[in-house]
Amino acid sequence: MTGQRTTLPPAARAIVRGDRRALARAITAVENGAPEADLLLRSTYSRTGRVPIIGFAGPLGVGKSSLLSALVTQLRAAGTTVGVIAIDPSSPFSGGSVLGDRIRFERRADDTGVFFRSMASRGASGGVAAATRDVARLMDAAGFGVILVETVGSGQVDVAIREIASTRVVVLVPHLGDEVQTLKAGLFEIADIFCVNKSDLPGSETAERYLSELAGLGPGPDGWRARVVRTSATVPSGIPGLWSAIEEHERFVAGSDVHRQAERRRLSDEIVGRVRDELTRELTLRLEAEAELRRLVDQVVARKLDPRSAADRLVAEERR
Amino acid sequence: MVAKQRTRPIRVLIAKPGLDGHDRGAKIVARALRDAGMEVIYAGLRQTPEEIVRAALEEDVDLIGLSILSGAHMALFPRVLKLLKAEKASRIPVFAGGIIPDEDATRLRHLGIRAIFGPGTSLEEIVRTAEKLARAPP
Ligand SMILES: Nc1nc2c(ncn2[C@@H]2O[C@H](COP(=O)(O)OP(=O)(O)OP(=O)(O)O)[C@@H](O)[C@H]2O)c(=O)[nH]1
Ligand SMILES: [Mg+2]
């Protein structure tokens, strides 16, 4: 069922009302793929979709969190409420993670206009994108005016930003080596805005020029030419310029047919993906319970039949 | 009995209230907990009790670890417990590490700090206790 405004379940009503604990618990449920998450996401979907999601990706330590903190200060001064999602990779060995982005955040013990949540990527790269999208939807339903997402730009994790952000900021620092690495990692194609942070350090003009030349090679497939801005998160300086560039891109997106198409595409993919997952699960259970599968496996084990032909027989069986 | 498989990682907040500027110990503990498979939200230095409780609630953690060397534990730890109680979040267990004299430790345990680790405690013991606390029914 779609969410009718009058039939919100209590936990969803609490989120929409601005109950921060309810939001925090709902995010946990989404991260864990818990059944409660499903109901919440269904019932609040109709209230989502209008909030800008600004993604920040870039190499380790370039100042993404510091930049977000400075942006939040500016946004709060303008009265805008902000949800922040900071993603760090999980260890492939232990599955654990140290989530340290909160450290750089200016202290706001009593400002309820900001909600900050750290998230571990938990392995699968497709998984983190889906979880981030759903967490962003919950923050959207809770009424935050803008959502900022931070990820380390390491190919695996930045899909979250690739797939869900409406504006994508790639953060770099003034050393050519880093930029080249970042471009290799494929971040260049996703950048709507390049942000040369730590511009209080020497070399930022060179980096800006270099990136401007690259961006000047031509607009992307959507017709947007990447902007280059210089900032220093710690001074701070250049923050209003960064925000103007983001707003400019948001306005561009709002009027762009390419982006409307991309949004349709993403939602279509989401639906198809869900159907596929559900049917795959069902089919797997059914096949594994079948005596015919066991007979075929016996033959394959004995090298009397090859796996492809065995699969063909089961497909033919399914289609009958 | 079948061993219960945990399907989700334990989330733990590690914070350092007080004014001293050394967080080596807290960082080492954070890494040990990560290596045990936990998601450690590392909040960093000089956190006020209000900031700690806010972070714990936003991050929806299963456990809070506080580290302190400055000697202000008798002021700061009870304040964290009191704020948690005010938020109806007393079921989040709190453990502590640092230089804490025995008499103070007894008093803090009485107030509701669930475990206290002195400077000589092995990481193994800290991890084991943290796991037990996070999994204990509220
Ligand atoms: N000089 C200078 N230092 C900065 C600036 N921005 C951030 N830093 C410093 O760079 C270091 C890393 O900053 P973070 O904000 O944690 O960087 P990050 O990109 O979020 O780091 P990860 O999340 O670990 O990838 C800190 O020591 C910051 O103080 C800046 O504009 N200028
Ligand atoms: Mg960061």
Side-chain angles (χ1 to χ4, degrees):
Chain A
M1 298 295 283
T2 56
Q4 305 295 311
R5 296 202 169 215
T6 47
T7 61
L8 280 183
R13 211 174 321 136
I15 292 171
V16 170
R17 217 177 39 224
D19 179 335
R20 305 168 65 83
R21 293 288 290 288
L23 175 61
R25 286 197 204 99
I27 293 174
T28 306
V30 165
E31 283 197 280
N32 293 336
E36 313 88 273
D38 218 64
L39 180 62
L40 291 171
L41 290 164
R42 281 172 203 258
S43 57
T44 53
Y45 182 76
S46 63
R47 298 166 185 264
T48 66
R50 270 165 294 272
V51 72
I53 301 177
I54 319 301
F56 296 79
L60 264 172
V62 294
K64 300 178 291 296
S65 300
S66 310
L67 213 47
L68 257 64
S69 179
L71 271 178
V72 169
T73 302
Q74 173 171 331
L75 289 165
R76 291 304 294 132
T80 308
T81 57
V82 193
V84 181
I85 307 172
I87 307 168
D88 281 307
S90 297
S91 155
F93 305 107
S94 68
S97 183
V98 174
L99 310 170
D101 298 311
R102 274 194 104 94
I103 301 177
R104 303 283 168 227
F105 242 68
E106 195 180 299
R107 308 303 171 72
R108 299 181 171 83
D110 49 14
D111 181 2
T112 54
V114 184
F115 191 100
F116 187 109
R117 182 67 176 235
S118 314
M119 251 174 94
S121 66
R122 298 198 184 170
S125 54
V128 70
T132 309
R133 181 196 59 216
D134 287 343
V135 169
R137 280 181 182 157
L138 290 175
M139 288 182 169
D140 188 350
F144 289 98
V146 56
I147 295 170
L148 310 179
V149 183
E150 168 183 349
T151 80
V152 169
S154 66
Q156 296 300 309
V157 182
D158 69 43
V159 289
I161 278 175
R162 239 173 252 261
E163 290 180 14
I164 72 160
S166 50
T167 295
R168 297 168 294 190
V169 182
V170 169
V171 185
L172 300 163
V173 286
H175 298 288
L176 211 59
D178 296 332
E179 271 110 51
V180 173
Q181 282 311 313
T182 303
L183 303 188
K184 274 193 199 148
L187 281 184
F188 184 70
E189 296 81 52
I190 72 163
D192 300 312
I193 295 162
F194 285 107
C195 175
V196 181
N197 190 41
K198 306 201 185 184
S199 65
D200 50 304
L201 303 178
S204 66
E205 289 93 347
T206 317
E208 183 184 20
R209 215 169 321 119
Y210 171 73
L211 288 166
S212 297
E213 274 168 27
L214 279 178
L217 294 180
D222 60 356
W224 171 262
R225 192 185 293 263
R227 301 284 186 275
V228 184
V229 297
R230 275 197 289 153
T231 58
S232 171
T234 44
V235 168
S237 78
I239 307 301
L242 171 59
W243 187 248
S244 315
I246 291 170
E247 280 187 315
E248 195 190 337
H249 183 259
E250 284 295 318
R251 278 194 300 273
F252 173 78
V253 167
S256 155
D257 226 37
V258 178
H259 282 271
R260 255 190 301 279
Q261 292 303 325
E263 163 84 349
R264 270 194 77 84
R265 182 76 253 155
R266 275 196 296 272
L267 291 171
S268 168
D269 286 350
E270 182 180 350
I271 298 166
V272 172
R274 285 189 181 284
V275 173
R276 189 188 49 226
D277 291 352
E278 190 53 39
L279 293 183
T280 304
R281 192 162 34 240
E282 231 180 83
L283 178 67
T284 307
L285 285 174
R286 196 164 67 231
L287 283 177
E288 284 176 348
E290 257 190 49
E292 177 64 5
L293 174 64
R294 285 194 292 279
R295 271 195 297 281
L296 289 170
V297 172
D298 287 342
Q299 293 183 41
V300 171
V301 169
R303 295 294 190 278
K304 289 185 181 134
L305 186 70
D306 68 278
R308 287 178 176 74
S309 306
D312 287 346
R313 284 190 206 176
L314 288 169
V315 170
E317 196 69 22
E318 280 294 322
R319 286 193 177 139
R320 263 201 316 151
Chain B
M1 233 173 54
V2 185
K4 238 202 295 179
Q5 189 68 41
R6 207 190 163 80
T7 55
R8 59 186 197 87
I10 293 167
R11 283 172 72 83
V12 50
L13 177 75
I14 297 292
K16 201 160 178 332
L19 295 178
D20 64 294
H22 307 280
D23 64 348
R24 237 175 73 85
K27 277 183 173 154
I28 291 170
V29 169
R31 250 172 266 144
L33 296 172
R34 174 200 63 193
D35 292 343
M38 297 185 202
E39 289 178 358
V40 184
I41 292 97
Y42 189 69
L45 292 167
R46 300 190 186 92
Q47 297 279 313
T48 66
E50 285 77 8
E51 287 157 358
I52 291 169
V53 169
R54 173 174 181 156
L57 299 183
E58 274 182 10
E59 301 284 357
D60 194 27
V61 295
D62 305 301
L63 187 65
I64 300 171
L66 303 176
S67 157
I68 201 163
L69 298 169
S70 65
H73 49 268
M74 290 314 278
L76 296 171
F77 291 179
R79 175 102 186 115
V80 170
L81 293 171
K82 203 172 143 202
L83 290 168
L84 281 173
K85 191 164 179 203
E87 293 283 354
K88 298 193 173 56
S90 295
R91 52 165 214 86
I92 306 175
V94 181
F95 70 93
I99 302 163
I100 297 170
D102 285 350
E103 334 60 285
D104 291 356
T106 310
R107 173 110 188 88
L108 288 171
R109 274 199 201 88
H110 184 72
L111 286 172
I113 301 285
R114 302 284 293 278
I116 295 171
F117 305 113
T121 320
S122 74
L123 288 172
E124 221 171 34
E125 188 188 335
I126 294 175
V127 168
R128 204 170 43 233
T129 308
E131 278 174 343
K132 208 168 65 197
L133 287 174
R135 283 168 188 187

PDB file of all heavy atoms in Angstrom, chain A residues 237-256:
ATOM      1  N   SER A 237      37.257  29.832   4.337  1.00  0.00           N
ATOM      2  CA  SER A 237      37.008  30.767   3.237  1.00  0.00           C
ATOM      3  C   SER A 237      36.497  30.011   2.013  1.00  0.00           C
ATOM      4  O   SER A 237      36.763  28.817   1.866  1.00  0.00           O
ATOM      5  CB  SER A 237      38.285  31.551   2.897  1.00  0.00           C
ATOM      6  OG  SER A 237      39.155  30.747   2.144  1.00  0.00           O
ATOM      7  N   GLY A 238      35.752  30.703   1.188  1.00  0.00           N
ATOM      8  CA  GLY A 238      35.233  30.118  -0.044  1.00  0.00           C
ATOM      9  C   GLY A 238      33.966  29.295   0.138  1.00  0.00           C
ATOM     10  O   GLY A 238      33.437  28.742  -0.823  1.00  0.00           O
ATOM     11  N   ILE A 239      33.463  29.221   1.364  1.00  0.00           N
ATOM     12  CA  ILE A 239      32.285  28.378   1.618  1.00  0.00           C
ATOM     13  C   ILE A 239      31.032  28.927   0.911  1.00  0.00           C
ATOM     14  O   ILE A 239      30.310  28.152   0.275  1.00  0.00           O
ATOM     15  CB  ILE A 239      32.040  28.211   3.143  1.00  0.00           C
ATOM     16  CG1 ILE A 239      33.326  27.718   3.840  1.00  0.00           C
ATOM     17  CG2 ILE A 239      30.891  27.241   3.410  1.00  0.00           C
ATOM     18  CD1 ILE A 239      33.874  26.405   3.334  1.00  0.00           C
ATOM     19  N   PRO A 240      30.783  30.246   0.988  1.00  0.00           N
ATOM     20  CA  PRO A 240      29.614  30.756   0.249  1.00  0.00           C
ATOM     21  C   PRO A 240      29.714  30.482  -1.251  1.00  0.00           C
ATOM     22  O   PRO A 240      28.709  30.166  -1.886  1.00  0.00           O
ATOM     23  CB  PRO A 240      29.642  32.266   0.537  1.00  0.00           C
ATOM     24  CG  PRO A 240      30.395  32.391   1.823  1.00  0.00           C
ATOM     25  CD  PRO A 240      31.426  31.304   1.791  1.00  0.00           C
ATOM     26  N   GLY A 241      30.923  30.573  -1.804  1.00  0.00           N
ATOM     27  CA  GLY A 241      31.122  30.296  -3.233  1.00  0.00           C
ATOM     28  C   GLY A 241      30.801  28.855  -3.559  1.00  0.00           C
ATOM     29  O   GLY A 241      30.177  28.554  -4.581  1.00  0.00           O
ATOM     30  N   LEU A 242      31.213  27.945  -2.691  1.00  0.00           N
ATOM     31  CA  LEU A 242      30.908  26.527  -2.886  1.00  0.00           C
ATOM     32  C   LEU A 242      29.397  26.317  -2.866  1.00  0.00           C
ATOM     33  O   LEU A 242      28.836  25.624  -3.724  1.00  0.00           O
ATOM     34  CB  LEU A 242      31.580  25.696  -1.780  1.00  0.00           C
ATOM     35  CG  LEU A 242      31.189  24.212  -1.708  1.00  0.00           C
ATOM     36  CD1 LEU A 242      31.506  23.486  -3.010  1.00  0.00           C
ATOM     37  CD2 LEU A 242      31.885  23.526  -0.527  1.00  0.00           C
ATOM     38  N   TRP A 243      28.732  26.957  -1.901  1.00  0.00           N
ATOM     39  CA  TRP A 243      27.281  26.764  -1.797  1.00  0.00           C
ATOM     40  C   TRP A 243      26.563  27.360  -3.013  1.00  0.00           C
ATOM     41  O   TRP A 243      25.614  26.756  -3.527  1.00  0.00           O
ATOM     42  CB  TRP A 243      26.726  27.322  -0.478  1.00  0.00           C
ATOM     43  CG  TRP A 243      25.289  26.963  -0.341  1.00  0.00           C
ATOM     44  CD1 TRP A 243      24.217  27.801  -0.382  1.00  0.00           C
ATOM     45  CD2 TRP A 243      24.755  25.633  -0.203  1.00  0.00           C
ATOM     46  NE1 TRP A 243      23.049  27.084  -0.282  1.00  0.00           N
ATOM     47  CE2 TRP A 243      23.343  25.748  -0.175  1.00  0.00           C
ATOM     48  CE3 TRP A 243      25.325  24.354  -0.120  1.00  0.00           C
ATOM     49  CZ2 TRP A 243      22.496  24.640  -0.055  1.00  0.00           C
ATOM     50  CZ3 TRP A 243      24.492  23.250  -0.006  1.00  0.00           C
ATOM     51  CH2 TRP A 243      23.102  23.394   0.026  1.00  0.00           C
ATOM     52  N   SER A 244      27.037  28.508  -3.502  1.00  0.00           N
ATOM     53  CA  SER A 244      26.402  29.081  -4.699  1.00  0.00           C
ATOM     54  C   SER A 244      26.534  28.134  -5.881  1.00  0.00           C
ATOM     55  O   SER A 244      25.593  27.975  -6.661  1.00  0.00           O
ATOM     56  CB  SER A 244      27.032  30.407  -5.124  1.00  0.00           C
ATOM     57  OG  SER A 244      27.235  31.231  -4.047  1.00  0.00           O
ATOM     58  N   ALA A 245      27.706  27.521  -6.032  1.00  0.00           N
ATOM     59  CA  ALA A 245      27.906  26.589  -7.147  1.00  0.00           C
ATOM     60  C   ALA A 245      26.940  25.406  -7.013  1.00  0.00           C
ATOM     61  O   ALA A 245      26.350  24.950  -7.990  1.00  0.00           O
ATOM     62  CB  ALA A 245      29.353  26.112  -7.177  1.00  0.00           C
ATOM     63  N   ILE A 246      26.766  24.934  -5.780  1.00  0.00           N
ATOM     64  CA  ILE A 246      25.836  23.812  -5.539  1.00  0.00           C
ATOM     65  C   ILE A 246      24.409  24.233  -5.895  1.00  0.00           C
ATOM     66  O   ILE A 246      23.700  23.519  -6.599  1.00  0.00           O
ATOM     67  CB  ILE A 246      25.914  23.356  -4.062  1.00  0.00           C
ATOM     68  CG1 ILE A 246      27.267  22.683  -3.783  1.00  0.00           C
ATOM     69  CG2 ILE A 246      24.765  22.391  -3.729  1.00  0.00           C
ATOM     70  CD1 ILE A 246      27.551  22.400  -2.317  1.00  0.00           C
ATOM     71  N   GLU A 247      24.025  25.437  -5.438  1.00  0.00           N
ATOM     72  CA  GLU A 247      22.669  25.915  -5.738  1.00  0.00           C
ATOM     73  C   GLU A 247      22.451  26.082  -7.231  1.00  0.00           C
ATOM     74  O   GLU A 247      21.382  25.754  -7.755  1.00  0.00           O
ATOM     75  CB  GLU A 247      22.428  27.256  -5.043  1.00  0.00           C
ATOM     76  CG  GLU A 247      22.074  27.095  -3.580  1.00  0.00           C
ATOM     77  CD  GLU A 247      21.663  28.411  -2.957  1.00  0.00           C
ATOM     78  OE1 GLU A 247      22.366  29.421  -3.205  1.00  0.00           O
ATOM     79  OE2 GLU A 247      20.661  28.435  -2.227  1.00  0.00           O
ATOM     80  N   GLU A 248      23.489  26.578  -7.895  1.00  0.00           N
ATOM     81  CA  GLU A 248      23.396  26.766  -9.341  1.00  0.00           C
ATOM     82  C   GLU A 248      23.141  25.420 -10.022  1.00  0.00           C
ATOM     83  O   GLU A 248      22.289  25.299 -10.902  1.00  0.00           O
ATOM     84  CB  GLU A 248      24.705  27.388  -9.839  1.00  0.00           C
ATOM     85  CG  GLU A 248      24.616  27.952 -11.232  1.00  0.00           C
ATOM     86  CD  GLU A 248      26.007  28.332 -11.764  1.00  0.00           C
ATOM     87  OE1 GLU A 248      26.921  28.570 -10.945  1.00  0.00           O
ATOM     88  OE2 GLU A 248      26.163  28.372 -12.976  1.00  0.00           O
ATOM     89  N   HIS A 249      23.874  24.405  -9.585  1.00  0.00           N
ATOM     90  CA  HIS A 249      23.668  23.084 -10.182  1.00  0.00           C
ATOM     91  C   HIS A 249      22.283  22.531  -9.849  1.00  0.00           C
ATOM     92  O   HIS A 249      21.632  21.919 -10.695  1.00  0.00           O
ATOM     93  CB  HIS A 249      24.751  22.094  -9.745  1.00  0.00           C
ATOM     94  CG  HIS A 249      24.603  20.759 -10.408  1.00  0.00           C
ATOM     95  ND1 HIS A 249      24.035  19.671  -9.782  1.00  0.00           N
ATOM     96  CD2 HIS A 249      24.876  20.360 -11.676  1.00  0.00           C
ATOM     97  CE1 HIS A 249      23.998  18.659 -10.632  1.00  0.00           C
ATOM     98  NE2 HIS A 249      24.499  19.039 -11.789  1.00  0.00           N
ATOM     99  N   GLU A 250      21.815  22.765  -8.629  1.00  0.00           N
ATOM    100  CA  GLU A 250      20.474  22.298  -8.254  1.00  0.00           C
ATOM    101  C   GLU A 250      19.406  22.938  -9.137  1.00  0.00           C
ATOM    102  O   GLU A 250      18.454  22.275  -9.544  1.00  0.00           O
ATOM    103  CB  GLU A 250      20.192  22.596  -6.773  1.00  0.00           C
ATOM    104  CG  GLU A 250      20.900  21.656  -5.800  1.00  0.00           C
ATOM    105  CD  GLU A 250      20.415  20.203  -5.911  1.00  0.00           C
ATOM    106  OE1 GLU A 250      19.197  19.989  -6.032  1.00  0.00           O
ATOM    107  OE2 GLU A 250      21.254  19.286  -5.912  1.00  0.00           O
ATOM    108  N   ARG A 251      19.593  24.231  -9.424  1.00  0.00           N
ATOM    109  CA  ARG A 251      18.632  24.901 -10.315  1.00  0.00           C
ATOM    110  C   ARG A 251      18.695  24.306 -11.706  1.00  0.00           C
ATOM    111  O   ARG A 251      17.671  24.076 -12.352  1.00  0.00           O
ATOM    112  CB  ARG A 251      18.920  26.413 -10.376  1.00  0.00           C
ATOM    113  CG  ARG A 251      18.324  27.181  -9.217  1.00  0.00           C
ATOM    114  CD  ARG A 251      18.327  28.696  -9.481  1.00  0.00           C
ATOM    115  NE  ARG A 251      19.673  29.221  -9.691  1.00  0.00           N
ATOM    116  CZ  ARG A 251      20.471  29.615  -8.689  1.00  0.00           C
ATOM    117  NH1 ARG A 251      20.051  29.545  -7.434  1.00  0.00           N
ATOM    118  NH2 ARG A 251      21.675  30.065  -8.942  1.00  0.00           N
ATOM    119  N   PHE A 252      19.906  24.007 -12.154  1.00  0.00           N
ATOM    120  CA  PHE A 252      20.092  23.397 -13.469  1.00  0.00           C
ATOM    121  C   PHE A 252      19.382  22.041 -13.530  1.00  0.00           C
ATOM    122  O   PHE A 252      18.659  21.738 -14.479  1.00  0.00           O
ATOM    123  CB  PHE A 252      21.593  23.223 -13.739  1.00  0.00           C
ATOM    124  CG  PHE A 252      21.887  22.457 -14.990  1.00  0.00           C
ATOM    125  CD1 PHE A 252      21.784  23.062 -16.237  1.00  0.00           C
ATOM    126  CD2 PHE A 252      22.252  21.112 -14.926  1.00  0.00           C
ATOM    127  CE1 PHE A 252      22.043  22.346 -17.393  1.00  0.00           C
ATOM    128  CE2 PHE A 252      22.506  20.390 -16.083  1.00  0.00           C
ATOM    129  CZ  PHE A 252      22.402  21.005 -17.320  1.00  0.00           C
ATOM    130  N   VAL A 253      19.579  21.252 -12.479  1.00  0.00           N
ATOM    131  CA  VAL A 253      18.962  19.925 -12.412  1.00  0.00           C
ATOM    132  C   VAL A 253      17.439  20.037 -12.465  1.00  0.00           C
ATOM    133  O   VAL A 253      16.769  19.288 -13.166  1.00  0.00           O
ATOM    134  CB  VAL A 253      19.388  19.205 -11.109  1.00  0.00           C
ATOM    135  CG1 VAL A 253      18.526  17.978 -10.850  1.00  0.00           C
ATOM    136  CG2 VAL A 253      20.859  18.815 -11.180  1.00  0.00           C
ATOM    137  N   ALA A 254      16.910  21.012 -11.715  1.00  0.00           N
ATOM    138  CA  ALA A 254      15.456  21.165 -11.629  1.00  0.00           C
ATOM    139  C   ALA A 254      14.838  21.428 -13.000  1.00  0.00           C
ATOM    140  O   ALA A 254      13.715  21.007 -13.275  1.00  0.00           O
ATOM    141  CB  ALA A 254      15.112  22.300 -10.663  1.00  0.00           C
ATOM    142  N   GLY A 255      15.615  22.102 -13.865  1.00  0.00           N
ATOM    143  CA  GLY A 255      15.048  22.426 -15.166  1.00  0.00           C
ATOM    144  C   GLY A 255      15.498  21.481 -16.278  1.00  0.00           C
ATOM    145  O   GLY A 255      15.247  21.728 -17.445  1.00  0.00           O
ATOM    146  N   SER A 256      16.182  20.404 -15.908  1.00  0.00           N
ATOM    147  CA  SER A 256      16.808  19.579 -16.942  1.00  0.00           C
ATOM    148  C   SER A 256      16.042  18.296 -17.223  1.00  0.00           C
ATOM    149  O   SER A 256      15.713  17.527 -16.325  1.00  0.00           O
ATOM    150  CB  SER A 256      18.243  19.238 -16.528  1.00  0.00           C
ATOM    151  OG  SER A 256      18.660  18.048 -17.141  1.00  0.00           O
TER     152      SER A 256
END
